[in-house]
Amino acid sequence: MENWEDARTKSTSAPKVSIISAPQDYTDMDRNQVKAESMDICCRAISVGALHKAYPMTVAVGTGAAARIPGTLVNETAAPAPDQEIIRIGHSSGVTEVDVKMEGETVVKGGVTRTARRIMDFRNGIDTMTTESACLSSIWITDEKTRNYFEIHHR
């Protein structure tokens, strides 16, 4: 980008900004209790100017790598064992495990072993993504778990 002032409208998703802290207990977006002992570091990410609903995988891999590199703030906060390859990141939707391989102080591989963010909820043969309004406003019965999910996500 030639003019840095253009970044606000031409590069809305970069840079990725994360807020890190020591592990702590919290309630995730689905109202599940997440315990401090289930993570190595607690993180929140800002993506395209808003709090991300989980933790972007590109950011998770970068955070996991930083956790393994001595001298970084992420390493000091997470304090992983020297041979610890899985870094557990607590975020708004739960905990994501990042697999980071090192050779000395060089990251040679980073990847996500699984994600924690629910992408779709499907119950009783009803596609909740497209028929939720019909379910809640007709004679159909919506189970309590689905109703709570809709309430949490303002739907």
Side-chain angles (χ1 to χ4, degrees):
M1 189 155 313
E2 290 183 32
N3 184 352
W4 67 268
E5 293 169 329
D6 293 335
R8 184 174 177 173
T9 57
K10 293 182 178 177
S11 180
T12 58
S13 64
K16 300 291 187 200
V17 177
S18 293
I19 302 163
I20 63 168
S21 75
Q24 57 188 289
D25 294 346
Y26 65 91
T27 303
D28 72 13
M29 291 181 64
D30 288 331
R31 296 187 181 163
N32 297 313
Q33 296 300 309
V34 181
K35 296 292 185 187
E37 52 271 7
S38 70
M39 70 193 79
D40 298 304
I41 190 165
C42 190
C43 302
R44 297 296 181 265
I46 306 298
S47 180
V48 194
L51 181 66
H52 196 278
K53 291 181 180 181
Y55 202 65
M57 294 303 102
T58 52
V59 180
V61 172
T63 303
R68 296 287 315 276
I69 301 172
T72 66
L73 290 174
V74 179
N75 175 264
E76 291 174 12
T77 304
D83 61 344
Q84 181 178 334
E85 293 184 346
I86 302 294
I87 304 297
R88 301 167 303 157
I89 299 173
H91 54 78
S92 303
S93 290
V95 178
T96 295
E97 295 179 350
V98 180
D99 188 359
V100 181
K101 304 282 191 265
M102 304 286 290
E103 286 182 6
E105 291 187 4
T106 302
V107 176
V108 294
K109 178 183 173 193
V112 177
T113 55
R114 70 174 190 82
T115 65
R117 182 177 175 198
R118 177 178 20 198
I119 297 173
M120 187 179 95
D121 189 353
F122 190 80
R123 297 180 184 284
N124 301 328
I126 300 170
D127 178 357
T128 61
M129 299 300 287
T130 59
T131 62
E132 64 193 38
S133 297
C135 288
L136 294 175
S137 63
S138 74
I139 61 169
W140 294 7
I141 297 173
T142 302
D143 70 13
E144 194 61 30
K145 188 169 183 174
T146 302
R147 188 180 310 282
N148 289 339
Y149 178 83
F150 293 152
E151 182 180 316
I152 291 167
H153 298 285
H154 309 291
R155 297 174 70 185

